[in-house]
Amino acid sequence: MAQGGKRQAKSHYVCRSCGASFPKWAGQCSECHAWNALEENLVPPAAASGGRFAGYAGAISAQVLALAAVEIEHEARSPTDSAELDRVLGGGLVEGSVVLIGGDPGIGKSTLLIQTLARLSVSLRTLYVSGEESPRQISLRAKRLELPADDLRLLPETCVERIIAAAEREHPQVMVVDSIQTMYTELLQSAPGSVSQVREATAQLVHFAKRSGTAVFLVGHVTKEGSLAGPRVLEHMVDCVLYFEGEAGSQFRLIRTIKNRFGAVNELGVFAMTDKGLKEVSNPSAIFLSRQAEAVPGSVILVTREGTRPLLVEVQALVDESPLANPRRVTLGLEQNRLSMLLAVLHRHGGIGMFDQDVYVNVVGGVRITETASDLAVLMAALSSLRDRPLDHGLVVFGEVGLTGEIRPVPNGQERLREAAKHGFKRAIVPRGNRPKQEMEGLEVIAVENLAEVLEI
Ligand code: TYD
Ligand code: MG
């Protein structure tokens, strides 16, 4: 090394999928258990001993402020022309914010952003930086989607320094970088897509966004066992993290807020992929409910609440005699351990055992349920399938099931019941704590306190 070998470049190993860092190489990441995901990351001696952190030396000039003395400008939010995208962003795009949009390849990230940017370009200065598609491809797509893209500015480039230089000339108000894994910085020698490149490129873009007030969207591919660093290694650096959910085969695309410095998390935006791009779905309950005209065993309607909106979804269960010594417990859209726990509660407090049965539970439409209010629906769907008896067609349920067999109340019961009534449901089984104070018109509410009462019904 230049300094007589005393100050060597420090190296550590960083996991490509979760970003955890280790002093030694290993075949498997002990944080996220991904195999072969650790890559060497060199910290240049200059950086380790000052460099970017040279500010420490000038710390005398750092200023401490009283909170009250901080001048609050009005947080400038611009609507994005899509109510569903605004919802997940927490009410619109914030000036100078950095939004990371992650998702599997081909799920619709570029489509969503080109649509949004083209519509915004009518009133704002926009810049679409693409490291994946040629300007011709982008233009063709915009034409096919019939977007008002005349004023949309394009930049095919993958070097962050050049992108920022171009952006400084163009002064865009909104900028898209598609995708962060194709970008590289001249400061580092590692290949584009490696953890260090992706992080450094993001750091520079974040810095640019804060300095210039440009709102920046970063596209990040979620990779399976891949050679690219996943977007998770960037989550802590950006203001807002959105992930695409949903099955590749399904027409619907859900966008969930994972992190938001300017709004609520877990907010869900619902879109449908059509031949004219992504169309927003403003009444998602209606689509997740498209089911058979007749009541069938194993199907229950749950009122869940994702973010700030109640949502009606169908929970299906199939209980079937198992040929295996260890019967299967399979869940799609729900947590598997939760199912095992619920079946144990059912056995212990309800006397109904399913230890010789395979149990499959699915949430229709590719929605992932993250709250415990689904417990009661899962139990009732499984029971209905086991006994081969359909539940009432106009019935909705929600409620958490405790380990002692009690049915616990969940937040926002009123709002859930109102959503059910709005969609024409006639009966609701809910925890006692969620019983409304007044009668609800057209909706019979049955309040239950424990598992025994549920079994009676
Ligand atoms: P894309 O936005 O390119 O995915 P990503 O950027 O996340 O990798 O989406 C591509 C997929 O979307 C592709 O499989 C085709 C489909 N699609 C449509 O069905 N309709 C459309 O109008 C467009 C543009 C794409
Ligand atoms: Mg793309």
Side-chain angles (χ1 to χ4, degrees):
M1 289 272 117
Q3 284 123 336
K6 266 195 182 155
R7 201 182 272 153
Q8 285 191 355
K10 276 192 191 153
S11 88
H12 60 145
Y13 296 85
V14 181
C15 172
R16 268 194 296 267
S17 77
C18 70
S21 131
F22 305 92
K24 274 194 188 142
W25 190 85
Q28 187 184 23
C29 168
S30 58
E31 290 287 321
C32 70
H33 309 294
W35 284 98
N36 243 340
L38 298 199
E39 71 179 40
E40 188 170 17
N41 199 359
L42 284 177
V43 183
S49 68
R52 278 211 288 162
F53 306 105
Y56 290 144
I60 311 148
S61 63
Q63 276 196 6
V64 179
L65 291 178
L67 183 66
V70 180
E71 275 181 48
I72 301 171
E73 297 165 37
H74 180 63
E75 199 179 69
R77 275 184 192 270
S78 16
T80 58
D81 210 41
S82 155
E84 292 296 297
L85 185 60
D86 284 348
R87 170 188 292 280
V88 288
L89 287 172
L93 201 51
V94 178
E95 209 174 88
S97 67
V98 181
V99 180
L100 174 68
I101 298 197
D104 294 329
I107 199 150
K109 301 179 294 296
S110 304
T111 309
L112 175 73
L113 290 175
I114 191 88
Q115 280 178 219
T116 308
L117 212 59
R119 298 207 185 108
L120 284 175
S121 70
V122 176
S123 53
L124 299 173
R125 281 188 310 277
T126 52
L127 180 64
Y128 188 94
V129 183
S130 181
E132 304 203 333
E133 289 164 272
S134 67
R136 195 169 157 271
Q137 278 174 307
I138 298 169
S139 154
L140 274 177
R141 185 188 315 213
K143 289 230 166 61
R144 201 169 60 70
L145 299 181
E146 295 165 13
L147 296 170
D150 293 345
D151 293 327
L152 180 62
R153 314 272 285 165
L154 293 180
L155 175 66
E157 179 60 73
T158 53
C159 168
V160 187
E161 281 82 9
R162 268 178 272 163
I163 291 170
I164 290 175
E168 257 151 15
R169 286 195 304 276
E170 291 275 327
H171 296 293
Q173 286 158 296
V174 188
M175 178 162 104
V176 169
V177 177
D178 187 1
S179 65
I180 191 65
Q181 283 123 338
T182 56
M183 302 296 153
Y184 72 95
T185 158
E186 285 163 347
L187 294 179
L188 299 172
Q189 261 125 47
S190 48
S194 63
V195 176
S196 42
Q197 281 286 4
V198 165
R199 273 198 187 150
E200 184 58 37
T202 305
Q204 291 196 29
L205 289 166
V206 169
H207 193 214
F208 166 74
K210 303 294 163 207
R211 193 171 64 212
S212 65
T214 306
V216 177
F217 282 101
L218 302 178
V219 174
H221 292 293
V222 170
T223 54
K224 303 225 172 24
E225 306 273 319
S227 50
L228 294 176
R232 284 189 58 197
V233 303
L234 305 177
E235 281 176 0
H236 66 284
M237 303 171 71
V238 299
D239 299 310
C240 180
V241 180
L242 310 177
Y243 275 109
F244 268 91
E245 286 178 9
E247 294 150 29
S250 147
Q251 187 198 358
F252 299 109
R253 300 284 187 272
L254 308 175
I255 301 181
R256 190 188 292 269
T257 317
I258 302 296
K259 160 180 173 178
N260 196 350
R261 286 184 182 151
F262 314 108
V265 289
N266 259 335
E267 203 64 78
L268 208 58
V270 186
F271 295 84
M273 183 60 96
T274 67
D275 57 344
K276 285 273 175 290
L278 283 166
K279 290 260 167 357
E280 48 189 270
V281 176
S282 47
N283 184 8
S285 287
I287 59 159
F288 294 124
L289 282 183
S290 48
R291 54 175 185 155
Q292 289 106 312
E294 296 214 343
V296 287
S299 157
V300 174
I301 304 300
L302 158 74
V303 197
T304 178
R305 192 164 181 278
E306 294 299 330
T308 56
R309 162 166 72 180
L311 203 60
L312 291 159
V313 292
E314 182 181 352
V315 176
Q316 292 183 338
L318 177 71
V319 178
D320 192 22
E321 215 162 283
S322 176
L324 305 170
N326 278 324
R328 286 202 187 94
R329 306 280 180 248
V330 180
T331 57
L332 282 171
L334 289 160
E335 209 191 319
Q336 188 166 349
N337 289 339
R338 196 102 202 146
L339 173 63
S340 305
M341 191 193 94
L342 291 171
L343 294 179
V345 172
L346 189 63
H347 184 225
R348 179 70 174 71
H349 299 285
I352 299 168
M354 296 195 193
F355 37 80
D356 52 354
Q357 310 276 333
D358 284 335
V359 182
Y360 303 88
V361 180
N362 178 32
V363 183
V364 177
V367 198
R368 199 163 50 78
I369 309 281
T370 50
E371 57 160 16
T372 51
S374 59
D375 290 355
L376 195 53
V378 172
L379 267 190
M380 292 185 69
L383 268 177
S384 158
S385 175
L386 179 74
R387 298 185 165 162
D388 206 23
R389 287 227 309 260
L391 290 158
D392 184 1
H393 205 52
L395 176 78
V396 294
V397 302
F398 59 83
E400 181 179 331
V401 177
L403 283 181
T404 60
E406 84 277 23
I407 311 292
R408 306 164 64 96
V410 296
N412 303 86
Q414 284 278 355
E415 201 187 334
R416 294 178 202 244
L417 288 171
R418 248 181 273 126
E419 177 80 2
K422 199 172 90 189
H423 285 86
F425 284 86
K426 298 278 178 280
R427 288 174 80 198
I429 300 183
V430 306
R432 177 137 303 156
N434 284 124
R435 187 169 47 186
K437 297 199 176 62
Q438 293 144 327
E439 294 258 310
M440 295 196 78
E441 208 177 313
L443 187 72
E444 183 199 348
V445 178
I446 305 162
V448 288
E449 204 158 11
N450 52 46
L451 194 59
E453 288 180 36
V454 178
L455 293 176
E456 257 167 54
I457 300 165

